[in-house]
Amino acid sequence: MDRAHVNRRTVLGGLAGAVGAAALPGGTAYGNSSTQMRRYPAAWPELEPYGAADTRLDLWPRDDNSFVLPLELRPRDEELGRVWMRDTYVNCFTVDGRPLYVATGTTRVPGRPGAGPWNDGIFVWTAPSLHGPWRLADTSGIRPDAELGKVWSPEFAGENTPGRTVVAPWQEYWYDDQFGKRGNAWAPELHYFRGTWYIVACMGDHSRKVGSFLLISEGGPEGLYRVAQGNLAKPFGDSFIGGPAFVLPGAYHHIDGGLYSEDDDAWLVLHNNLYARFRDDMEDIVPTTGLPAFQQSPYSPEPYLEGAYVLKYGGKYYLMHAAWDRSSTNPDGSARNAYDTPAPGRVQYQYDLIMAVADRFEGPYSKRWTAGVGAGHNNVFVDAAGHLWATFFRNPAFGYWADPSRIADAAVPGVVRMEWTGPKSNRLYVRRR
């Protein structure tokens, strides 16, 4: 993105004359300048106790506020009739004076029920409008014999040359007796920053090392992509004990990496609460270890959260996470839905989008609220008309969408309209009824 462009995560809402006007990349603000008397949707009261999950249908992606993107199908998608996708990511950038929409996410290989123990990398789609037509990124000029739209994969390790690493050794496929072929790319995000395309993604639980990394394009959104210098030997940040039992000791790092940028600066955001500024050349982060943490208002006890993402809107910073709403029964026999830790009698129900708001990027952040039911691990973006949207995918692993009666409609590249409650209450929700 050139210096005149504003990052898609930054919308300069501001005071009365500018409230509700979305500052799009390229510096063009759309909206009515006479908004002093504008009426905003109401913010709902906080649920008690803190950590209770809001299950109201108003917060669900529905037919009246959402749709599944009509992404161009690959040969593997023909039988299903749509693209199978988790961790759906969509954004809108201004490129050469025109809006360009991009979409990506976690995908699977033919014949596999999910994205493990291996998949074949990262695919990208682009469109001139949110409603399409959505086309696979044209990678034919880069890899004529590869599947169209595949911009990065462990398969491309043979393209490494001195001084240019396409696939780092820790990202390559490997094999063991338990799983056979291993290595999967998860949760990619695609960003256009200071005129360059970047992908932040992570190698998943079955990889030789697990954690987040940055790819830098030497061309357009289709690539060619190479690994940033800071990820040649390992993922970003420190290793720690986490993940499934089959992860090798020392291999697990923070997953679900994302990129937040404002003006000419960019930050790495890692689950669940870490961040670091990128160097000016974008080749690594500072600091490289001992990353600072967001100042949050955690639940007690704090459950496992995923998919951290930051958006600036209306002059405020919104920190998002994915959290499982677990249903159970209170001692008095009443139903309980809360962002609880696992325990007997607690059943995973919905994979929700939760948010908190702050005056500064690092916090302190407010108490969290449910912003979207079943919309966890997503991003929020502003379209070319200034409208707020969030992505969703309907988690097929557990809960509501894993039910056999619904699984056929899970793992989708979905988008849902969002609404802002204005500069006094500063809440974002899925657009309610």
Side-chain angles (χ1 to χ4, degrees):
M1 189 179 301
D2 61 41
R3 296 178 69 90
H5 286 186
V6 179
N7 179 260
R8 293 307 308 178
R9 292 191 184 186
T10 305
V11 178
L12 304 178
L15 299 176
V19 168
L24 299 178
T28 303
Y30 295 85
N32 187 341
S33 61
S34 300
T35 55
Q36 291 92 334
M37 302 302 294
R38 178 175 173 180
R39 297 182 63 184
Y40 295 95
W44 282 343
E46 295 180 358
L47 297 184
E48 296 293 344
Y50 182 50
D54 198 331
T55 63
R56 283 176 280 189
L57 291 177
D58 293 73
L59 295 178
W60 292 49
R62 307 174 307 274
D63 289 344
D64 64 288
N65 65 2
S66 70
F67 66 98
V68 174
L69 296 179
L71 301 182
E72 180 181 4
L73 302 185
R74 303 158 295 177
R76 69 183 71 184
D77 304 315
E78 295 291 344
E79 182 178 355
L80 184 61
R82 60 168 176 82
V83 175
W84 186 99
M85 182 178 288
R86 292 178 53 112
D87 313 320
T88 302
Y89 173 89
V90 178
N91 220 326
C92 179
F93 303 95
T94 294
V95 180
D96 297 329
R98 296 186 177 185
L100 178 66
Y101 291 81
V102 298
T104 187
T106 303
T107 61
R108 63 184 182 182
V109 294
R112 299 296 309 176
W118 69 281
N119 66 6
D120 57 346
I122 299 170
F123 286 81
V124 166
W125 289 258
T126 66
S129 162
L130 187 57
H131 290 272
W134 284 95
R135 303 298 185 205
L136 286 156
D138 187 2
T139 54
S140 60
I142 300 172
R143 300 180 183 91
D145 298 327
E147 193 170 2
L148 193 68
K150 186 186 296 184
V151 300
W152 185 86
S153 172
E155 299 169 356
F156 301 157
E159 299 178 10
N160 291 346
T161 58
R164 184 178 183 276
T165 301
V166 177
V167 180
W170 63 273
Q171 298 170 324
E172 295 182 17
Y173 292 130
W174 63 298
Y175 301 82
D176 69 3
D177 293 336
Q178 182 178 3
F179 295 102
K181 186 175 182 177
R182 297 178 61 168
N184 41 0
W186 283 355
E189 295 183 4
L190 181 59
H191 295 270
Y192 188 56
F193 175 61
R194 297 192 316 212
T196 299
W197 290 96
Y198 298 91
I199 291 176
V200 184
C202 66
M203 297 303 294
D205 288 344
H206 290 87
S207 305
R208 188 177 293 276
K209 290 183 181 179
V210 180
S212 302
F213 60 93
L214 180 71
L215 300 173
I216 303 172
S217 175
E218 297 176 351
E222 72 279 2
L224 296 166
Y225 285 93
R226 64 173 178 83
V227 179
Q229 293 175 8
N231 295 131
L232 296 180
K234 68 176 189 67
F236 285 122
D238 299 301
S239 65
F240 66 102
I241 297 174
F246 58 74
V247 176
L248 298 177
Y252 199 82
H253 298 66
H254 289 274
I255 60 171
D256 297 346
L259 187 152
Y260 171 78
S261 65
E262 188 171 347
D263 300 324
D264 285 335
D265 296 314
W267 289 261
L268 174 73
V269 177
L270 290 177
H271 98 312
N272 291 324
N273 60 344
L274 302 180
Y275 65 91
R277 188 187 297 266
F278 278 102
R279 288 178 0 195
D280 187 65
D281 64 5
M282 297 294 291
E283 294 289 352
D284 206 347
I285 55 174
V286 179
T288 57
T289 63
L291 274 57
F294 290 107
Q295 301 170 46
Q296 299 196 62
S297 300
Y299 302 126
S300 181
E302 180 84 321
Y304 176 74
L305 305 176
E306 294 184 309
Y309 189 87
V310 176
L311 169 81
K312 189 177 184 183
Y313 189 83
K316 302 289 186 179
Y317 295 87
Y318 292 84
L319 177 59
M320 308 168 208
H321 296 291
W324 275 106
D325 166 11
R326 298 178 187 272
S327 60
S328 60
T329 303
N330 287 312
D332 64 1
S334 61
R336 173 182 172 87
N337 285 86
Y339 303 116
D340 285 329
T341 55
R346 295 176 179 173
V347 179
Q348 288 164 289
Y349 174 56
Q350 285 278 17
Y351 192 57
D352 287 351
L353 165 63
I354 60 173
M355 284 191 186
V357 65
D359 293 324
R360 298 183 302 170
F361 169 76
E362 65 273 16
Y365 280 88
S366 69
K367 288 185 176 181
R368 302 163 181 154
W369 68 91
T370 304
V373 173
H377 201 141
N378 69 346
N379 72 294
V380 177
F381 65 97
V382 182
D383 69 14
H387 300 139
L388 275 169
W389 294 83
T391 60
F392 66 90
F393 72 92
R394 301 174 185 156
N395 199 322
F398 306 99
Y400 183 88
W401 291 105
D403 187 276
S405 66
R406 306 183 186 100
I407 192 71
D409 295 317
V412 301
V415 291
V416 57
R417 279 290 300 273
M418 300 289 287
E419 61 185 16
W420 181 47
T421 64
K424 291 185 178 180
S425 53
N426 290 296
R427 293 290 183 267
L428 296 177
Y429 299 103
V430 163
R431 190 171 69 181
R432 295 163 291 178
R433 296 176 297 181

